[in-house]
Amino acid sequence: MHELGIALEIHRTCREAMAPHPGARIERVTVAVGELTAVEPDLLESAWEAAVAGSPDEGSEIRILWRPARQYCAGCRADKPRAEGSWLRLCPDCGMPLAVEGGEELDVLELAFIEPDGEDTDG
Ligand SMILES: [Zn+2]
């Protein structure tokens, strides 16, 4: 499962961001996961637990914000709704080919960590 590699990468990114705060530990990390990344949110949660196990960040929380891909029609200048997991090639209203927008996000949006003195920090 490639989620473990992603979780380790997220952890590394968080640790880099916390470098100016020695002794701090992660409280919660918020990530955006796009539909087209082939990342399963449930698996990423489990992978996060595994990635931080045995580190000072063990027990921290990962919050996953799901970012679906959108189908955009240039003819109608509008997003077109679609059923979960299915794609339309052509706009049902005007027949133009639809473009896929978004869904490729895999970003750390927010990192909350706890300073060694116990003070909560957002940012
Ligand atoms: Zn259209």
Side-chain angles (χ1 to χ4, degrees):
M1 77 185 197
H2 71 146
E3 279 82 0
L4 183 57
I6 292 166
L8 289 167
E9 180 66 22
I10 293 169
H11 190 208
R12 196 181 62 76
T13 302
C14 293
R15 276 282 144 199
E16 279 180 10
M18 289 159 60
H21 305 270
R25 61 189 172 85
I26 299 172
E27 182 181 27
R28 183 181 61 250
V29 59
T30 305
V31 296
V33 173
E35 180 176 7
L36 303 182
T37 59
V39 171
E40 290 285 340
D42 288 354
L43 292 180
L44 185 56
E45 277 183 33
S46 312
W48 177 256
E49 285 176 27
V52 298
S55 82
D57 306 312
E58 183 162 356
S60 59
E61 180 194 349
I62 188 167
R63 184 182 293 171
I64 295 164
L65 302 181
W66 185 247
R67 295 287 166 85
R70 295 176 290 113
Q71 291 188 143
Y72 180 78
C73 175
C76 302
R77 296 176 182 273
D79 286 345
K80 296 293 164 177
R82 64 184 176 87
E84 180 96 16
S86 76
W87 298 93
L88 298 169
R89 297 172 65 87
L90 298 174
C91 176
D93 298 318
C94 75
M96 291 258 298
L98 294 170
V100 175
E101 306 249 329
E104 291 173 353
E105 300 89 341
L106 190 54
D107 303 313
V108 176
L109 298 181
E110 195 182 341
L111 171 64
F113 57 88
I114 301 167
E115 296 273 17
D117 60 10
E119 191 183 328
D120 263 343
T121 307
D122 278 319

